[in-house]
Amino acid sequence: MKIQYQHSGIVVGTDMLELDCQLTRDGHVVVSHDSVLDIRTELKGAISEYNYAELPPIKEQIPIDFMPGVTFSSNSEDRRFPLLEETFQHFPNTPINIDIKIDSNELISKVSELVKKYQREHITVWGNMKDVVTQKCYKENPNVCLLFSARRVCFMLLQLYTGILPFMPLKETHLEIFMPVHMVKIYASHFKCKWWHNVIAKIANTLLIRRSLFEHLSKRGVQTYLWVMNTEEDFRKAFETGATGVMTDYPTKLKAFLEQNPQYCNDQKLS
């Protein structure tokens, strides 16, 4: 089901796929956002506790993480967890952003082996919000494009506001971030957000979401994309920040938006 959903994105013109990886007990790299089975299957427990052949099928209806209350439905008979290798085989020329979801040397090593096997180091991006994971990825294979970790984003902002960023080397190639005010807006109606949550989000947004920063990074060959944007309002806000790409659960919506707003189409990425 995941591969079918990704394929629909490619059909409408998606430039990059984003996915998360987990490791089964018998060492298979599977595509899954969650490390546990509870949310998207009828079984409980961690993916790492099962052999690949033992993994249950994904439910016909699963929640969309960044659209609270909305579900994705599929009547496909093939609802098994796809392997990362299958994804590479289905999309040999499509750039793929891989979030290494757990701190596992074995997982990092096996993903690197697959990337090299399919000769896609130049069109694969990997890493994680955790700096320890991202550093391990870089050490394992420095030829694969690299994400900024949360820690490295903080260092970059410090360098930006002290004026030394233009003189500092960057090994990262992609900045994948969310808009703090956007995330608060998404979850405000489902969680009890306090007034100070909004204040902190606005401050963080002012410091992080800056056109001057994104333009500087773009000049240095670093792509910036914002996640997860799913409405026309989201798309407009994202592109007006100067981001080079948008991550969305609805590539068809994004394509329609860009067709209606060609001023945002200058080298923008759909992912």
Side-chain angles (χ1 to χ4, degrees):
M1 181 174 69
K2 181 76 172 181
I3 286 180
Q4 291 175 343
Y5 180 61
Q6 290 171 337
H7 184 265
S8 65
I10 295 298
V11 168
V12 301
T14 297
D15 295 295
M16 174 182 281
L17 298 176
E18 190 276 344
L19 53 83
D20 310 296
C21 285
Q22 309 284 348
L23 195 66
T24 63
R25 184 171 58 189
D26 53 347
H28 285 86
V29 181
V30 297
V31 176
S32 175
H33 176 272
D34 303 302
S35 60
V36 296
L37 298 169
D38 308 43
I39 299 175
R40 304 178 199 279
T41 77
E42 300 296 342
L43 284 184
K44 295 186 181 297
I47 288 177
S48 59
E49 297 173 348
Y50 292 83
N51 293 329
Y52 179 67
E54 300 171 336
L55 292 178
I58 299 170
K59 294 177 180 178
E60 291 186 359
Q61 292 190 335
I62 56 176
I64 297 178
D65 293 328
F66 298 98
M67 293 286 285
V70 179
T71 58
F72 171 77
S73 300
S74 172
N75 56 8
S76 170
E77 294 183 0
D78 183 8
R79 290 182 285 113
R80 62 190 174 80
F81 284 88
L83 296 167
L84 179 62
E85 183 164 18
E86 292 176 317
T87 306
F88 286 170
Q89 291 169 348
H90 277 78
F91 310 108
N93 302 310
T94 302
I96 297 179
N97 179 115
I98 302 175
D99 190 344
I100 305 295
K101 297 298 286 188
I102 57 174
D103 183 1
S104 165
N105 293 336
E106 182 182 2
L107 175 59
I108 292 171
S109 176
K110 291 200 170 186
V111 170
S112 178
E113 289 173 3
L114 288 171
V115 169
K116 288 186 287 187
K117 176 180 178 180
Y118 289 93
Q119 301 179 346
R120 50 176 301 119
E121 290 171 310
H122 62 298
I123 56 171
T124 301
V125 190
W126 67 345
N128 184 263
M129 290 291 285
K130 295 179 180 178
D131 192 62
V132 62
V133 175
T134 301
Q135 294 304 323
K136 286 182 179 181
C137 288
Y138 184 72
K139 184 177 180 180
E140 178 70 30
N141 192 340
N143 295 319
V144 180
C145 300
L146 191 69
L147 294 168
F148 278 86
S149 66
R151 183 184 182 194
R152 285 284 295 161
V153 169
C154 292
F155 275 119
M156 179 181 62
L157 290 179
L158 179 62
Q159 293 167 354
L160 172 68
Y161 289 106
T162 55
I164 64 173
L165 180 59
F167 311 102
M168 303 303 292
L170 296 174
K171 62 178 178 291
E172 294 87 356
T173 58
H174 292 71
L175 175 62
E176 173 193 318
I177 56 174
F178 61 88
M179 296 178 69
V181 293
H182 176 64
M183 298 303 289
V184 170
K185 177 183 175 182
I186 289 177
Y187 291 107
S189 59
H190 293 267
F191 299 96
K192 295 181 179 179
C193 291
K194 305 295 184 181
W195 65 268
W196 50 268
H197 288 142
N198 290 312
V199 172
I200 292 175
K202 287 180 180 179
I203 294 173
N205 214 79
T206 300
L207 293 173
L208 181 60
I209 310 300
R210 301 189 67 86
R211 174 178 283 274
S212 59
L213 170 61
F214 298 165
E215 289 178 347
H216 170 76
L217 292 175
S218 180
K219 290 177 181 177
R220 298 180 65 174
V222 177
Q223 293 189 30
T224 300
Y225 36 94
L226 303 182
W227 58 274
V228 168
M229 321 303 279
N230 285 329
T231 68
E232 287 191 6
E233 180 185 0
D234 297 342
F235 302 152
R236 183 170 287 103
K237 286 181 178 179
F239 288 127
E240 288 178 353
T241 67
T244 53
V246 168
M247 292 175 63
T248 181
D249 294 314
Y250 298 97
T252 303
K253 282 186 184 180
L254 179 54
K255 180 182 180 181
F257 172 82
L258 290 174
E259 289 175 344
Q260 295 167 10
N261 298 272
Q263 68 272 26
Y264 298 125
C265 291
N266 184 27
D267 294 328
Q268 304 294 0
K269 301 296 182 183
L270 287 69
S271 57

